Amino acid sequence: YILAIGRLTNQKNFLELIKSFEIISKKNPEYLLIILGDGEERYKLTNQIKSLKLENKVFLLGFEKNVYRYLNHASVFISCSKYEDPGASIIQAIYCNRFVISSNCKNGPSEILNGGKGGILYDQVKGSIEESFEKFLEINNEAKKKYIVNAKKNILKYSLFRHYKTLIKIINKV
C-alpha cells in the first residue's frame, strides 16, 4: 500500500493525493492508499473518496499514535504537502527504510531528501503525483535501496545529537 500521514488539513493536500490515486489505481489496481491523521477536512476527503468510488481502495484511518507499524509495511510513503516545516513524517518514513515521494514544497522535503538524491521530489505546478509514482515503479530495488541509504545519511544532520554538537561548537567559540 501507499501511505500518507498528517493532519487532514488544506496544507497536507490530501484531496490532490486522492485524485491522483484514482489514476494510479487504474494502472496499478493492486495498490491501496492509507491516510493516517485527523482534522477539519475529513468530511471533504470522505466525500471525494465516495465521488471517485474509491471506498474499497482509500482508507482514512484517523489519528494513529504508533505510525511505525504502518510505515514498516508500506511500499512507499507520499507527502503531497503545500508546505512543511520540516517534514517529520518524511523523516519517520526514512527511519523505517521507506522510499519517499514528496512535493518539492517550501521548507523541508528538498533538504531532507537531499535535493532528490534520497527520494523523488515533484514540482506541484509542473509535475504530478502519478508521474512520480510511475517513476518509483520503474526504479529497480537496488537503486531504491541507494535512495534510502542516501536519505538516511542525510537525516543524521537533523538529529538531536547533531544539534547538540553544533550548539557546543557555538558555545565554545564564545
Side-chain angles (χ1 to χ4, degrees):
Y1 56 86
I2 298 166
L3 182 65
I5 301 171
R7 286 205 26 87
L8 306 183
T9 63
N10 183 48
Q11 172 201 351
K12 298 298 182 180
N13 207 16
F14 290 134
L15 273 176
E16 185 66 32
L17 178 58
I18 293 167
K19 289 176 193 172
S20 295
F21 182 75
E22 179 191 26
I23 297 164
I24 291 169
S25 182
K26 286 178 183 171
K27 291 181 180 178
N28 306 280
E30 69 277 15
Y31 280 93
L32 302 174
L33 172 61
I34 295 176
I35 301 173
L36 301 178
D38 225 340
E40 62 268 13
E41 287 205 343
R42 184 177 193 82
Y43 181 75
K44 193 186 286 188
L45 297 173
T46 301
N47 285 340
Q48 181 74 24
I49 293 165
K50 286 179 185 173
S51 74
L52 297 174
K53 298 179 177 33
L54 292 171
E55 297 97 322
N56 295 321
K57 303 287 277 169
V58 178
F59 302 95
L60 302 177
L61 299 185
F63 173 77
E64 178 62 44
K65 191 172 183 175
N66 181 8
V67 297
Y68 295 103
R69 66 187 184 134
Y70 291 93
L71 281 165
N72 284 329
H73 299 287
S75 297
V76 62
F77 177 82
I78 297 181
S79 173
C80 49
S81 295
K82 294 178 178 179
Y83 59 92
E84 279 293 349
D85 25 71
S89 60
I90 295 173
I91 294 170
Q92 290 171 318
I94 293 167
Y95 178 77
C96 291
N97 297 315
R98 291 308 110 200
F99 192 94
V100 175
I101 297 171
S102 178
S103 60
N104 194 7
C105 64
K106 192 172 183 175
N107 299 334
S110 182
E111 292 86 0
I112 294 168
L113 295 177
N114 201 10
K117 295 175 186 167
I120 296 173
L121 290 167
Y122 69 92
D123 185 299
Q124 290 181 319
V125 177
K126 299 175 189 169
S128 72
I129 297 168
E130 309 93 83
E131 290 170 359
S132 299
F133 187 76
E134 286 301 316
K135 190 175 175 182
F136 160 75
L137 292 176
E138 292 169 4
I139 300 171
N140 68 46
N141 287 337
E142 199 59 40
K144 285 177 184 170
K145 287 178 187 174
K146 288 179 183 177
Y147 275 96
I148 293 167
V149 167
N150 192 320
K152 284 191 95 125
K153 287 179 183 176
N154 193 51
I155 64 170
L156 290 175
K157 46 180 142 162
Y158 301 100
S159 70
L160 281 175
F161 182 70
R162 185 66 57 101
H163 290 303
Y164 165 79
K165 297 280 278 178
T166 303
L167 183 60
I168 293 299
K169 283 182 186 177
I170 292 168
I171 291 170
N172 287 335
K173 286 182 181 180
V174 175

